[in-house]
Amino acid sequence: MTPTETSAHPAPGTGDAASAGRGGDRPVLLTVDDDVNVSRAVARDLRRRYGGSWRIVRAESGSQGLEALREIKLRGGEVAVILADYRMPGMNGIEFLEQAMDLFPAARRVLLTAYADTNAAIDAINVIDLDHYLLKPWDPPEEKLYPVLDALLEAWRAADRQPVAEARVVGHRWSARSYEVRDFLARNHVPYRWYLADEPEGERLLAAAGAEPDSIPCVITTDGTALVNPSDVELANRVGLATAPAGDFYDLIVVGGGPAGLGAAVYGASEGLRTLLVERHATGGQAGQSSRIENYLGFPDGVSGSQLTDRARRQALKFGAELLTTADAVALEAAGPARRLVLGDGGRIDAHAVILATGVSYRQLNAPGLGDLTGQGVFYGSALTEAPSCSGEDVYIVGGANSAGQAAMYFARHARSVTMLVRGSGLEASMSHYLIEQIAAVANITVRTCTEVVSAHGTDHLEGLVLRDSSTGQTEKVDTHWLFVFIGAAPRTDWLDGVVARDEHGFVLAGPDLIVDGRRPAGWAPDRDPYHLESSLPGVFVAGDARAESVKRVASAVGEGAMAVALVHRYLAGR
C-alpha cells in the first residue's frame, strides 16, 4: 500500500509516511491505522488541536509506520506520541509499538482499540509499557481524546530526552555485593550499565580503573571516579544523593521512605512544616520493588512501584521536603519538648514531632543452605535488576500474597518457567482476585500449593532446591539458579524497644490500642488520650505497615501518612 496524504491538500503540520522526515523542527504525532476512514478521522482531530505546533503524520500499516519513524530518525526529528490501532493485518498495534520503542523510546504510546479488545490493551501495559489505550469511537475528542494527549505531551515535554550519563558497574555474576550495589543504584533511580568482570569490556574498565579482577564490584561514576567495593554511603555521596541533614532541628522528621513515609513527607512539606525524611536504603520500601500495582486508585492502567514512588519522591522534593539516603535510625528519645532521632553514624537530629513509617521487611526463609546463597541466586523481594539474567531459565518464587504474584507476572516475561511455592492450599486467602486470574492465564506460571522449601544447595551460587509436599510428605529435587522469597512481614522496630509500646510481633501500638481497661499507657503525661496514630511517646506517630493491625496496602499507607500529618498539626497546636 502506498502512503496516503491526510487530505488532498495537507494542512500545515500534516503529512504522510513518505514525507515523514520533512517538516522542520516540529515534533511528530504519528497515527497508524489500516482503516482509511479511521486513519483520516484521527488525523483530522489531531490536526484541529495540534496542527499549529506539532507535525501530524499518518500511516496505514505497521510497516509504513516503521518506515516513517526510520525516516524521522535519520533526519534528526523527534516523535512525541504514537497512536496505533490494535487490529491491523500483518502487524498488530502491540507488535508495531514494540518495534517503535527501539527507534523512539521516549515517545508516548497509545493503543486504539475496540471494547472487545480491552484485555489485549491491558496486557500491552506490561508488554510495551503502554501509556494509555483509547476506546473507539473517541467522540467527542474534547472529552475523550484531547485531555489524554494534553497530559502525554506535557509529560513528553518535561522528560529529559538527552542521552543519560550512566555510571558503570563491573562485577561477577554471582557476587552478592555486586547485586547489592546494582539494587541500590536501581532503587535510587541512578542510571548505570552493568559489565561482567570476566568479559572483555569489563576487563578493560577494571584495567583503566587500576583495579584487580577480584576487586569487585567496581563502580566508575559519570565523572570517571573509580570506586572499588564502595559502601552504600560512599556510593550515595559520589552519585549525588543526600546523606547528611542540612540542619539539626525540624518541625517533622519522617523515618522511612515507603508509601506511608512519602505520603507524610508530601503532606508535611506542602502544609508548611520543615520536613526531613530519613531512609536507610532507598525510597519506595516494598512497594517500590513491585513490578506492577494495578489496584491503586487513579491508575486504571496500573503503575510500577518504582514509577509510583519516584513520582512521590519528586513531589515531596518539590514542596521542599529534605530526603536523606543511607541514614539508619538506631534510637529515638525525648529531649525535653523535642523528639531526638539518633543515626547509625552518631548524628543527632531533633524535631517537634516524628512519624514512624519504617514499614516491614520480608522474613528470612529458614532452610539449610539458603543463608549462604543470599544474593547469589537467593533473593528477598523482587530483585527486578535480575530479571534479564533469568531469560530462558526456571524461576521459583516462595509466597502467596500480592507481592509474590506481581513478581511471578513480571518474571514470566523473561523466564522459561515460573513456579510459585505456596504453603497454603490456595491463593484466595492472601492474594487479590484480579491477580489470581492473571496468573491463571499465563502459560508458563505454575502454582504449587502445600509446598515448602526444605533446603538449597550450590557452591558459589544457587544450583538446586529440595521441595516438600506438606500434604503427602514427599520430597523432590529441582534444578534452578533463581529463588525469590516473599514471606511474611517483619517490622523494622527493634531499635524502638523500650521507647514506644509494641505488640508481641514488634508492631507499634497507637491510639485506641494503647488504652487498656480505660487506662492510658504508663508514663503518659498529656491530659488527653493518645491521638489515633500517636504512639505511647507523645509527639511520635506511626503510619503504614509498622503500625499494629494496619491494612497492608499501598493506598492505606499513603492515607495514614497524610492522616499522621494532620494529627501532628493538632499535637503542635495543643502543646
Side-chain angles (χ1 to χ4, degrees):
M1 181 182 295
T2 58
T4 306
E5 296 285 354
T6 55
S7 64
H9 302 285
T14 67
D16 60 19
S19 60
R22 303 186 294 274
D25 296 328
R26 284 180 296 175
V28 168
L29 310 184
L30 174 67
T31 172
V32 185
D33 199 308
D34 66 304
D35 186 319
V36 176
N37 292 328
V38 173
S39 178
R40 287 174 174 164
V42 175
R44 178 200 64 217
D45 288 340
L46 293 179
R47 188 167 59 249
R48 283 171 48 199
R49 176 94 167 190
Y50 306 105
S53 303
W54 308 82
R55 184 151 192 267
I56 315 303
V57 174
R58 179 167 66 88
E60 295 178 5
S61 69
S63 59
Q64 268 194 30
L66 292 175
E67 180 184 348
L69 291 175
R70 294 188 190 102
E71 181 72 14
I72 296 166
K73 189 79 172 180
L74 286 172
R75 295 178 178 269
E78 292 187 289
V79 177
V81 175
I82 303 172
L83 301 95
D85 183 56
Y86 172 63
R87 287 183 178 267
M88 293 190 294
M91 181 188 303
N92 68 34
I94 296 175
E95 294 167 340
F96 164 74
L97 288 172
E98 193 168 14
Q99 295 187 50
M101 288 170 62
D102 296 333
L103 293 165
F104 289 95
R108 305 298 164 169
R109 296 173 286 277
V110 180
L111 195 67
L112 299 175
T113 179
Y115 182 79
D117 298 321
T118 301
N119 287 337
I122 293 173
D123 291 340
I125 294 167
N126 293 321
V127 175
I128 58 171
D129 199 18
L130 191 70
D131 292 292
H132 203 88
Y133 65 88
L134 287 172
L135 295 178
K136 298 186 290 187
W138 56 88
D139 291 330
E142 290 77 11
E143 295 181 11
K144 298 183 179 181
L145 177 64
Y146 297 153
V148 171
L149 288 181
D150 287 346
L152 294 178
L153 291 172
E154 181 181 355
W156 183 84
R157 287 192 191 98
D160 183 1
R161 296 179 299 281
Q162 298 300 315
V164 177
E166 296 176 318
R168 288 164 289 179
V169 181
V170 185
H172 293 313
R173 178 68 203 87
W174 299 111
S175 160
R177 183 56 188 159
S178 293
Y179 157 70
E180 291 168 357
V181 165
R182 289 185 294 133
D183 185 65
F184 177 83
L185 293 174
R187 293 183 60 192
N188 280 289
H189 306 279
V190 178
Y192 73 92
R193 188 175 294 274
W194 165 242
Y195 300 90
L196 293 174
D198 56 359
E199 292 184 346
E201 185 62 17
E203 292 174 348
R204 188 191 68 78
L205 288 170
L206 287 176
E212 297 296 326
D214 291 335
S215 301
I216 54 93
C218 179
V219 180
I220 298 95
T221 63
T222 56
D223 63 2
T225 302
L227 308 174
V228 177
N229 195 17
S231 67
D232 285 354
V233 174
E234 182 183 4
L235 189 56
N237 283 325
R238 295 302 307 189
V239 299
L241 301 174
T243 60
D248 54 14
F249 195 94
Y250 294 82
D251 295 320
L252 172 64
I253 295 174
V254 181
V255 186
L262 288 168
V266 167
Y267 280 91
S270 68
E271 293 172 11
L273 298 178
R274 189 182 182 196
T275 302
L276 174 70
L277 186 147
V278 174
E279 169 55 46
R280 68 189 185 97
H281 187 66
T283 53
Q286 284 190 353
Q289 300 178 66
S290 174
S291 58
R292 180 66 59 177
I293 301 170
E294 298 192 60
N295 58 352
Y296 187 66
L297 186 67
F299 290 86
D301 301 333
V303 62
S304 75
S306 176
Q307 291 172 326
L308 182 64
T309 55
D310 182 51
R311 291 174 183 177
R313 179 187 62 83
R314 289 188 283 114
Q315 195 172 14
L317 291 172
K318 181 188 77 170
F319 286 122
E322 189 179 332
L323 270 60
L324 294 192
T325 306
T326 68
D328 195 12
V330 297
L332 177 67
E333 56 194 41
R339 299 294 174 256
R340 175 168 296 162
L341 189 71
V342 182
L343 303 179
D345 62 2
R348 286 168 164 74
I349 318 169
D350 291 353
H352 290 304
V354 171
I355 295 176
L356 303 172
T358 51
V360 295
S361 58
Y362 292 113
R363 287 196 172 93
Q364 302 293 296
L365 186 60
N366 187 21
L370 289 179
D372 294 336
L373 297 171
T374 299
Q376 298 171 286
V378 176
F379 304 94
Y380 289 85
S382 291
L384 300 182
T385 55
E386 300 302 301
S389 300
C390 297
S391 179
E393 299 207 29
D394 300 315
V395 170
Y396 285 79
I397 292 176
V398 178
N402 277 13
S403 54
Q406 290 159 353
M409 291 293 296
Y410 183 77
F411 283 107
R413 295 161 51 187
H414 300 270
R416 175 172 60 186
S417 71
V418 175
T419 303
M420 298 186 66
L421 307 175
V422 183
R423 286 202 308 171
S425 58
L427 297 172
E428 289 73 16
S430 55
M431 188 179 292
S432 296
H433 179 69
Y434 81 90
L435 196 49
I436 295 174
E437 289 189 325
Q438 287 183 2
I439 288 170
V442 178
N444 64 333
I445 298 180
T446 301
V447 179
R448 293 183 56 168
T449 57
C450 302
T451 304
E452 56 189 355
V453 176
V454 176
S455 64
H457 66 272
T459 50
D460 62 343
H461 66 277
L462 178 67
E463 297 176 9
L465 303 169
V466 176
L467 310 179
R468 179 171 57 208
D469 187 323
S470 59
S471 63
T472 64
Q474 293 182 334
T475 59
E476 175 190 358
K477 294 181 179 179
V478 297
D479 295 329
T480 183
H481 299 310
W482 307 98
L483 178 68
F484 299 89
V485 182
F486 303 81
I487 56 169
R492 299 170 178 164
T493 60
D494 290 346
W495 60 285
L496 295 169
D497 188 32
V499 180
V500 298
R502 300 181 297 155
D503 67 11
E504 63 273 21
H505 302 294
F507 293 93
V508 178
L509 297 168
D513 293 335
L514 293 168
I515 307 298
V516 179
D517 297 329
R519 296 194 301 272
R520 295 166 181 165
W524 182 262
D527 187 21
R528 60 171 176 80
D529 288 345
Y531 295 131
H532 185 68
L533 298 178
E534 194 171 20
S535 74
S536 59
L537 178 61
V540 175
F541 299 80
V542 60
D545 291 357
R547 184 178 65 83
E549 302 300 325
S550 64
V551 178
K552 304 300 188 286
R553 289 290 185 269
V554 175
S556 61
V558 173
E560 287 191 7
M563 183 189 301
V565 170
L567 296 173
V568 165
H569 283 297
R570 188 182 302 179
Y571 167 76
L572 295 177
R575 289 196 310 167

